Amino acid sequence: MKMAGYVFLGGALGSMLRYLLSEVISLNAEFPTSELIALTTVNLLGAYFLGLTARLPYFQTLWCKWLWAFGFAGGFTTMSAVTLFIDINGLTWEIFAMLLAGVAVYGAGWHQGRRVQQRQAS
């Protein structure tokens, strides 16, 4: 039950941050464009953060993984929104590019975390 609480807390924090970021973006762009910008922004930031949590030593404890990787990153990213967007509009080039970029930024976060881990080990 304790780990479920960590996931819940992290998910709540991630969801609130995603909402705030979406609101800020909607102030600066019109509706259809703002949604795509917000969707891309949160998913790329979330993918990078998830890559970091996979390697940084701080996130290797069980409670940190549940809070930050599973809870926060899961609540922050919006893959369900991506699938809904694909269902309504089909796989557009924008969504395809976002998915490819997501893999790339996850890798960048993973490598950044690995470099930090190696520096701390030496």
Side-chain angles (χ1 to χ4, degrees), residues 13-25 42 75-76:
L13 293 171
S15 297
M16 287 188 290
L17 182 59
R18 179 184 70 225
Y19 174 77
L20 290 173
L21 187 60
S22 295
E23 287 298 308
V24 168
I25 290 170
V42 298
F76 183 68

Side-chain angles (χ1 to χ4, degrees), residues 29-52:
E30 294 295 319
F31 167 65
T33 304
S34 68
E35 291 298 314
L36 187 59
I37 292 169
L39 185 67
T40 302
T41 302
V42 298
N43 284 324
L44 294 182
L45 288 172
Y48 180 78
F49 181 74
L50 194 56
L52 282 175

Side-chain angles (χ1 to χ4, degrees), residues 77-98:
T77 58
T78 56
M79 289 312 293
S80 58
V82 172
T83 57
L84 180 63
F85 191 90
I86 291 171
D87 186 45
I88 293 170
N89 300 311
L91 183 61
T92 64
W93 71 268
E94 294 98 339
I95 295 295
F96 184 72
M98 181 191 61

